[in-house]
Amino acid sequence: MTASRYRLFYPRQSRGLAVEAVTSGLAYSAGLWWGSVCLLASFRPDGLSTPYWAALPELRSDTSGVLAFFAFAIFFGGSEFGRLRRRRPGVAARGDGAQLSGAAAAAVLAVSETATVLATSLVIYLSVNAVTHPATLNRRATHFSAWPTEGTLRMIALVLCVFSVSALRFLLAGRRAELAR
């Protein structure tokens, strides 16, 4: 048996998979970081202005949570795009019969999946906040801006869920119809 037979991936595939794997790991870690700040905000809100990590005393927990939220969006979207491009090459059909290229279909699906995960997470987090301390629904959502309030942000996230889940359903149904032909 030759050594090349045991090689798991070809060099070109390895680079793309390595990038996908690293972005997936970064997304997972950023999601955990954001989740831990959400737990702090829900059950120990007085700790939000304290450092998330003692080694970075200038970085407030709430600020780090916002950064982790956006890091998750970027890394999860990038990882999903890579996964979809790798697993679903070719062309996808839109509901009106027009074709999307493999890259465009992967990008739209990755953005829709990312928006669905993030919006759902926001609704859950803000709903827990509504139970643990309902007075915050009328307070601003971040210390960065006076708008939106937590209640408004929860409604924005719910509307985003409608559109992102609808887009996923539409695109995936079109793909299934195309594959069935």
Side-chain angles (χ1 to χ4, degrees):
M1 300 210 172
T2 64
S4 64
R5 185 172 186 186
Y6 293 103
R7 190 179 331 167
L8 296 175
F9 306 105
Y10 294 105
R12 193 183 79 169
Q13 292 171 320
S14 294
R15 276 183 259 127
L17 283 173
V19 169
E20 181 186 327
V22 169
T23 56
S24 181
L26 288 168
Y28 186 81
S29 296
L32 286 174
W33 188 328
W34 182 70
S36 70
V37 173
C38 287
L39 288 170
L40 177 66
S42 293
F43 299 105
R44 299 280 188 267
D46 294 340
L48 287 174
S49 62
T50 62
Y52 184 81
W53 184 35
L56 293 172
E58 303 85 22
L59 184 61
R60 294 169 45 132
S61 292
D62 51 1
T63 303
S64 74
V66 171
L67 295 174
F69 180 85
F70 287 109
F72 177 82
I74 292 165
F75 294 132
F76 183 76
S79 173
E80 278 301 288
F81 177 76
R83 183 185 69 82
L84 291 166
R85 286 284 291 157
R86 180 173 46 84
R87 296 208 175 199
R88 299 178 180 177
V91 177
R94 292 192 326 223
D96 62 1
Q99 302 294 309
L100 292 174
S101 71
V108 171
L109 284 169
V111 168
S112 296
E113 288 175 359
T114 302
T116 299
V117 169
L118 289 171
T120 301
S121 299
L122 268 175
V123 169
I124 292 168
Y125 158 63
L126 293 168
S127 295
V128 169
N129 273 1
V131 171
T132 57
H133 36 85
T136 63
L137 287 176
N138 294 321
R139 293 190 190 149
R140 61 189 193 171
T142 73
H143 62 284
F144 299 125
S145 172
W147 188 88
T149 64
E150 285 187 6
T152 302
L153 184 58
R154 184 167 63 164
M155 289 308 299
I156 291 169
L158 281 168
V159 170
L160 185 57
C161 281
V162 169
F163 289 109
S164 61
V165 170
S166 297
L168 282 174
R169 180 72 176 229
F170 182 77
L171 291 168
L172 292 175
R175 180 175 288 279
R176 286 188 189 105
E178 181 68 24
L179 292 174
R181 289 184 196 173

